[in-house]
Amino acid sequence: MAGGRARGSRRATRLSEGGGLMAPASRLLALWALAAVALPGSGEEGDGGWRLGGPGAVAEEERCTVERRADLTYAEFVQQYAFVRPVILQGLTDNSRFRALCSRERLLASFGDRVVRLSTANTYSYQKVDLLFQEYVEQLLHPQDPTSLGNDTLYFFGDNNFTEWASLFRHYSPPPFGLLGTAPAYSFGIAGAGSGVPFHWHGPGYSEVIYGRKRWFLYPPEKTPEFHPNKTTLAWLRDTYPALPPSARPLECTIRAGEVLYFPDRWWHATLNLDTSVFISTFLG
């Protein structure tokens, strides 16, 4: 069982989520085809060109247990959620321009020749690998191999070069609710279907899905989940989750494109991308 803070700074924080677990290029395994049928339409207009088809998609939860709010005021946010429990925010920002810039075609045209830093997908993320963004998208952005361990898999999220990616980030409108004494830092990522990050915790923050769907599992600080730090969220969902009694189940919900999840300080959370996902987190550090 793991406890404690995941490695990384606020600018290259080990999580939020969400991330993507990809098989390394040196280890091209027979990948389990976890499909992505997330958004209406197809191509640039519907999924930004990111969808990877195939049978056997991971399902959404039977019942979302995180509240959705479309009319939240700042006073309500502070009183009811900021220090107490997660909440999913809807309609507070318009990131349609940022979303258009995050299509597969546009990102490859703008950043394909840039080096990105990939992280391993275990709780503590010890290994870092540098690779051209185009090589990552074209060679490693596959559905998760369900037999892989976290330290055997690589994906892109969090370790962004903020100077090189500034032309993209300046078009992003973060959630409007801050916390006193904190400053926002972005963590951008792209992940394959079935990928995710095992349980970990850190400071408070937001995670917005730009394309795809991301399923979240959350526990309050005082309730340490049962998990292995080097097994993927996909393996945890398959092997551990079904045996949990109702009282031991996490809060859970799937956030969709345009929705933003807020999680308070030190809440345990794990993520599972149900589709090929593009996402951005705002850490309040």
Side-chain angles (χ1 to χ4, degrees), residues 171-224:
H171 294 284
Y172 179 64
S173 297
F177 303 146
L179 297 176
L180 289 177
T182 68
Y186 296 148
S187 171
F188 180 70
I190 302 171
S195 66
V197 179
F199 281 104
H200 62 282
W201 58 265
H202 44 68
Y206 299 94
S207 182
E208 178 168 356
V209 171
I210 307 303
Y211 288 107
R213 297 170 298 161
K214 185 182 290 290
R215 186 171 170 181
W216 283 71
F217 308 90
L218 304 109
Y219 285 98
E222 67 276 8
K223 196 170 183 178
T224 302

Side-chain angles (χ1 to χ4, degrees), residues 120-140:
T120 52
N122 50 330
T123 293
Y124 301 109
S125 187
Y126 294 114
Q127 184 183 1
K128 303 287 185 179
V129 174
D130 291 338
L131 190 70
L132 289 178
F133 179 64
Q134 182 167 349
E135 292 182 23
Y136 170 70
V137 170
E138 295 180 349
Q139 299 178 24
L140 299 185

Side-chain angles (χ1 to χ4, degrees), residues 16-30:
S16 159
E17 175 232 275
L21 311 182
M22 311 303 148
S26 61
R27 201 169 157 252
L28 295 178
L29 300 173

Side-chain angles (χ1 to χ4, degrees), residues 17-260:
E17 175 232 275
L21 311 182
M22 311 303 148
S26 61
R27 201 169 157 252
L28 295 178
L29 300 173
L31 296 169
W32 187 28
L34 296 172
V37 185
L39 301 171
S42 61
E44 293 296 311
E45 186 175 340
D47 59 22
W50 293 108
R51 184 182 304 169
L52 295 179
V58 178
E60 295 186 10
E61 67 285 340
E62 292 183 4
R63 184 174 69 90
C64 172
T65 52
V66 180
E67 190 176 2
R68 281 184 163 93
R69 291 293 303 270
D71 56 352
L72 196 64
T73 66
Y74 180 67
E76 290 174 324
F77 170 74
V78 171
Q79 293 168 5
Q80 300 177 26
Y81 304 103
F83 310 101
V84 181
R85 64 184 188 272
V87 62
I88 297 172
L89 307 176
Q90 297 176 312
L92 293 183
T93 56
D94 178 6
N95 276 306
S96 54
R97 171 61 176 162
F98 183 76
R99 174 182 164 87
L101 294 173
C102 288
S103 72
R104 187 179 191 276
E105 181 180 357
R106 293 193 184 190
L107 281 184
L108 285 175
S110 299
F111 303 101
D113 60 350
R114 310 293 173 88
V115 173
V116 294
R117 176 154 290 182
L118 310 180
S119 302
T120 52
N122 50 330
T123 293
Y124 301 109
S125 187
Y126 294 114
Q127 184 183 1
K128 303 287 185 179
V129 174
D130 291 338
L131 190 70
L132 289 178
F133 179 64
Q134 182 167 349
E135 292 182 23
Y136 170 70
V137 170
E138 295 180 349
Q139 299 178 24
L140 299 185
L141 194 59
H142 298 297
Q144 172 66 33
D145 173 11
T147 67
S148 292
L149 294 175
N151 62 359
D152 293 328
T153 56
L154 295 169
Y155 66 103
F156 170 53
F157 81 109
D159 285 319
N160 308 307
N161 183 317
F162 283 80
T163 301
E164 289 190 325
W165 290 74
S167 61
L168 175 66
F169 294 148
R170 70 166 177 252
H171 294 284
Y172 179 64
S173 297
F177 303 146
L179 297 176
L180 289 177
T182 68
Y186 296 148
S187 171
F188 180 70
I190 302 171
S195 66
V197 179
F199 281 104
H200 62 282
W201 58 265
H202 44 68
Y206 299 94
S207 182
E208 178 168 356
V209 171
I210 307 303
Y211 288 107
R213 297 170 298 161
K214 185 182 290 290
R215 186 171 170 181
W216 283 71
F217 308 90
L218 304 109
Y219 285 98
E222 67 276 8
K223 196 170 183 178
T224 302
E226 177 185 346
F227 74 103
H228 189 291
N230 197 31
K231 290 189 177 180
T232 65
T233 305
L234 187 62
W236 176 86
L237 182 65
R238 178 192 63 203
D239 301 333
T240 302
Y241 179 91
L244 294 175
S247 61
R249 290 282 174 96
L251 292 179
E252 58 180 307
C253 199
T254 297
I255 62 171
R256 304 178 182 92
E259 293 186 320
V260 182

